[in-house]
Amino acid sequence: SKPPCFVVISGKMPAQSCLHHGVSCDPLFLFGEAHRNTVSWSPHGRFLCLAGFGNLAGGMDFWDRNKLKKLNTEGTVTASRVVVGYDWSPDSRQFLVSTTAPRMNVENGLAVYKYNGDGPVKTVDIGTLYQANWIPSNVSEYPDRPATPVKKKKKQALNAEEKQETAAPKTVGRYVPPSARGRSGGMSLADRMRAEKEAKSASSGAPRKVNKNEGAKMMGAASGKNVPVGMSADASAYEKEKKAKKAAEKKERARLKKLEEEKAAKEAAEAEALAQKEAQKALELANKNDPVKRAKKINKILKQIDELKKKPADSLNDDQKQKLGTEDALREELANLSL
């Protein structure tokens, strides 16, 4: 029988899903990186659903725990509705997903998929649904059945598709001098960087088994800190990244605030200029309609200006200095009134 085990999803999206030994906690198998946040075991513990529910897109992958094999071989299964609740049937052969209130008050209902992701085999729309679960039953009443073998014709079709996808035209590599062939030191910097990138991708992204030494390294044994697979053992790096993110957000908020202030100042200046323009038009209209009245007002202002000239310049305020600056324009306007 298989040892007890558990699954941990950790790290940034796309997150890494890892199967651990239930006693030693050693990593046993990497399911690969994907947008997942939900782990759901079938009642018999044979089948496993790794899904991205809630705020994720609803992708689902179904696995055979005993064979460490993905059952939905034709690609990720995407739930036909926003998933709030989920539940395995007591016989481990059906997987139910539901959209329920009050989390979602529209498009409530449920959908049922097979243990291997086929489906939905059944969908039901319900006006308002608060919960959906299978009727509880003793697991011992149902046999622990393995996955049904794929039909021969279907398997051949799947294999043919896989061969077409994996088959690629033979490419001609760059010329390598005979003296540098078979020597790792003869690789260029770009080639070495590409090889490191591909090795890193292969070590984390693809589903594969993990040996004991590699598992200890993944969990931060070298640094003396135990961390989930897929997360960095260096807490300071995480803190630095977190602080950098906050600093960038603060900088962006300051930039947006500055733009808003500049926009408000520009709008205020345009409004003031428009008001001055309207006031000038009104003044010109008033002069045209009643030049005598305007002339009396100008003479009154000029008399005030003459009084201000008698005072020391350093005793004048800004408004008084501004009034002194309008003397020439007022005298010109008075002359134009032709009175």
Side-chain angles (χ1 to χ4, degrees):
S1 62
K2 298 291 181 179
C5 56
F6 62 92
V7 174
V8 175
I9 301 176
S10 58
K12 296 180 179 178
M13 291 294 171
Q16 179 65 265
S17 302
C18 182
L19 181 73
H20 293 259
H21 193 285
V23 178
S24 65
C25 298
D26 293 334
L28 301 176
F29 184 78
L30 295 179
F31 295 97
E33 295 178 348
H35 289 78
R36 301 288 180 264
N37 60 5
T38 302
V39 179
S40 182
W41 290 92
S42 67
H44 293 90
R46 177 184 291 272
F47 303 128
L48 168 70
C49 177
L50 299 177
F53 294 153
N55 60 340
L56 297 182
M60 299 182 292
D61 288 324
F62 293 85
W63 290 82
D64 186 327
R65 154 69 186 94
N66 294 350
K67 296 182 179 180
L68 296 178
K69 180 181 178 182
K70 186 155 73 167
L71 300 171
N72 49 306
T73 55
E74 297 183 8
T76 297
V77 179
T78 302
S80 59
R81 57 180 67 244
V82 178
V83 178
V84 177
Y86 52 91
D87 190 24
W88 281 94
S89 62
D91 62 355
S92 298
R93 309 301 288 185
Q94 312 280 341
F95 187 71
L96 177 148
V97 296
S98 58
T99 305
T100 58
R103 173 72 182 274
M104 295 293 294
N105 292 316
V106 295
E107 297 183 354
N108 284 188
L110 57 89
V112 178
Y113 294 82
K114 290 185 178 180
Y115 66 93
N116 59 358
D118 287 350
V121 295
K122 180 70 174 179
T123 57
V124 180
D125 295 323
I126 301 173
T128 302
L129 177 65
Y130 292 102
Q131 187 172 347
N133 292 94
W134 297 94
I135 297 175
S137 180
N138 195 335
V139 177
S140 61
E141 295 180 7
Y142 302 93
D144 182 11
R145 295 166 52 198
T148 303
V150 180
K151 290 183 180 180
K152 189 174 180 180
K153 289 185 179 180
K154 186 177 180 181
K155 190 174 183 179
Q156 289 175 350
L158 290 174
N159 291 337
E161 289 180 5
E162 289 179 1
K163 287 180 180 178
Q164 288 180 355
E165 291 176 359
T166 55
K170 186 176 180 181
T171 57
V172 180
R174 66 181 178 85
Y175 173 75
V176 179
S179 60
R181 294 174 187 174
R183 292 166 51 188
S184 59
M187 296 175 66
S188 66
L189 176 61
D191 290 337
R192 290 198 297 272
M193 291 177 66
R194 190 180 300 110
E196 290 176 3
K197 184 177 180 181
E198 289 174 354
K200 184 178 180 181
S201 175
S203 66
S204 60
R208 61 188 179 85
K209 291 184 178 181
V210 180
N211 60 47
K212 191 170 184 179
N213 292 334
E214 187 182 10
K217 186 177 179 181
M218 286 180 174
M219 295 184 70
S223 63
K225 301 176 181 178
N226 289 327
V227 295
V229 175
M231 296 184 69
S232 172
D234 187 2
S236 61
Y238 173 75
E239 291 298 328
K240 286 179 182 178
E241 185 177 352
K242 190 176 179 181
K243 287 180 180 179
K245 186 177 180 181
K246 285 186 177 180
E249 291 175 352
K250 185 177 180 181
K251 186 177 180 180
E252 180 65 12
R253 286 195 298 269
R255 187 185 71 84
L256 294 175
K257 184 178 179 182
K258 185 178 179 181
L259 288 176
E260 290 178 0
E261 290 175 350
E262 290 176 353
K263 183 180 179 182
K266 184 179 179 181
E267 291 176 351
E270 291 176 351
E272 185 178 356
L274 182 62
Q276 290 179 355
K277 190 174 181 181
E278 294 294 333
Q280 183 66 25
K281 287 183 179 179
L283 182 61
E284 292 175 358
L285 183 62
N287 293 342
K288 186 176 181 181
N289 294 337
D290 195 348
V292 176
K293 186 176 180 181
R294 178 59 183 167
K296 286 182 179 180
K297 187 172 183 179
I298 292 175
N299 286 324
K300 182 178 179 181
I301 297 174
L302 290 174
K303 186 177 180 181
Q304 293 173 353
I305 291 174
D306 292 337
E307 294 294 328
L308 292 173
K309 286 180 178 180
K310 296 176 183 180
K311 296 181 179 181
D314 56 355
S315 65
L316 300 177
N317 59 33
D318 293 339
D319 291 338
Q320 291 171 334
K321 291 178 181 178
Q322 187 177 2
K323 184 176 284 188
L324 285 174
T326 62
E327 181 181 6
D328 293 339
L330 290 172
R331 293 190 184 280
E332 184 181 352
E333 184 181 350
L334 184 63
N336 290 335
L337 290 176
S338 302
L339 294 176

